[in-house]
Amino acid sequence: FWTIAERCISTKEGRTKLVYQHTLAKLRAFAGDAPLYIEDIDRVWLHGFDASIGGKVNSRAIHLRNLRAICNFALDEELTTHYPFRKFKIRTEETRKKALTLEQVRAFMAVPGPNEYRDVFILMLYLRGINVSDLAELTEEDVVGGRIEYRRNKTGQLYSIKVEPEAQEILDRWKGERHLLRCFDRYKEFHDYNRRLRENLHKMTGPDGKPIEKDCSSNWARHTWATMCAELDVPDPTISLGMGHRIAGHRTTAIYIKRD
């Protein structure tokens, strides 16, 4: 099993690969030093592994889905015919949606003065909720015919997004030398900037002097974009394609939308 798992993980990139490696560490801690084969994994074993992980339901579900992906990899590679997840259901629970209201978006846009962190967050919303890791890698070469074109690090999916005048204004204001935005000229790792962005978003206050959204972070832009599309009656299949999901109407899209 461990050899198969390593082969599967070698096909992953970036943060996804790190999450799989974390799952592998959890699996090793549960299974111990004895040899492990996929045929050893059954429903009882899966329930035991689930219990050993600890933490919240959705956190455990991440590791179980990663394990399931490894098992699917083994099937695809014709390394086994055994599928332990046939009668095992991965439990999840609904979490608070990370979508801002229209009033909150307007409050962020109204934050006074030149504010790089506000502008970067709003730009992410304008660019269909682009991920910080992707935004950090953009250069002038990625702007083609008035559109930003890039492959998403997480999935490899190609995006082509029209640069509207409001987005262009932000790009011009914070133009970089080596990167499309100069803030990423300062940082070697996008994680460092993402942390600073989150800290500054938490500090931004609305007209009442209270934080606009105390939990806001960069990925709220993606959820907010999807939710605003839904509120404007954009069909889910169109939202799916806009988010880069390979299948129109993909069930993953629903995770991002706060229904009204």
Side-chain angles (χ1 to χ4, degrees), residues 23-239:
T23 297
L24 189 59
K26 293 282 187 181
L27 286 164
R28 289 188 184 278
F30 173 70
D33 297 327
L36 178 67
Y37 298 89
I38 285 185
E39 289 74 17
D40 297 331
I41 302 174
D42 56 19
R43 186 168 57 179
V44 174
W45 194 98
L46 289 171
H47 280 297
F49 174 59
D50 184 17
S52 75
I53 300 172
K56 297 181 179 179
V57 172
N58 289 345
S59 297
R60 301 201 306 272
I62 292 173
H63 296 298
L64 289 166
R65 285 196 296 268
N66 289 346
L67 173 57
R68 185 176 63 188
I70 294 171
C71 294
N72 286 330
F73 175 84
L75 287 171
D76 292 341
E77 293 293 308
E78 299 182 348
L79 301 172
T80 185
T81 58
H82 178 66
Y83 187 63
F85 283 87
R86 188 169 61 87
K87 294 184 178 181
F88 181 85
K89 181 176 177 59
I90 298 175
R91 292 179 56 242
T92 59
E93 61 184 10
E94 187 172 4
T95 59
R96 180 194 175 198
K97 298 296 184 181
K98 300 176 181 179
L100 299 170
T101 65
L102 179 59
E103 290 72 22
Q104 287 177 308
V105 173
R106 287 173 172 162
F108 273 119
M109 296 175 74
V111 170
N115 190 307
E116 174 195 291
Y117 297 103
R118 172 205 60 198
D119 284 355
V120 168
F121 179 73
I122 295 299
L123 177 65
M124 294 174 69
L125 177 60
Y126 289 160
L127 299 181
R128 300 208 301 250
I130 187 172
N131 189 274
V132 172
S133 69
D134 298 314
L135 186 62
E137 294 182 359
L138 295 181
T139 68
E140 285 288 346
E141 295 180 357
D142 296 310
V143 183
V144 181
R147 307 181 72 86
I148 289 178
E149 298 185 345
Y150 70 98
R151 288 192 180 276
R152 191 178 182 206
N153 286 326
K154 183 177 180 180
T155 63
Q157 181 75 5
L158 178 65
Y159 283 69
S160 179
I161 305 174
K162 183 181 179 183
V163 181
E164 299 289 355
E166 295 85 355
Q168 187 63 56
E169 181 183 354
I170 294 175
L171 292 172
D172 292 340
R173 186 181 305 135
W174 304 105
K175 181 178 175 61
E177 294 182 3
R178 293 180 294 108
H179 299 84
L180 200 57
L181 292 171
R182 68 171 178 252
C183 57
F184 297 112
D185 289 343
R186 306 193 309 262
Y187 287 84
K188 292 183 178 180
E189 296 287 340
F190 77 88
H191 295 291
D192 296 331
Y193 183 81
N194 197 23
R195 183 175 62 254
R196 292 295 301 275
L197 174 63
R198 182 173 62 251
E199 291 170 352
N200 279 271
L201 290 173
H202 291 177
K203 296 175 184 176
M204 294 181 193
T205 57
D208 59 0
K210 297 180 180 179
I212 299 170
E213 174 51 65
K214 62 181 179 62
D215 295 322
C216 192
S217 61
S218 59
N219 61 355
W220 281 63
R222 188 165 171 82
H223 290 252
T224 300
W225 183 86
T227 296
M228 286 187 165
C229 286
E231 290 174 349
L232 293 169
D233 292 329
V234 176
D236 280 14
T238 304
I239 299 174

Side-chain angles (χ1 to χ4, degrees), residues 13-27:
E13 296 181 354
R15 184 167 177 80
T16 300
K17 188 171 187 176
L18 293 176
V19 175
Y20 269 81
Q21 289 171 340
H22 188 203
T23 297
L24 189 59
K26 293 282 187 181
L27 286 164

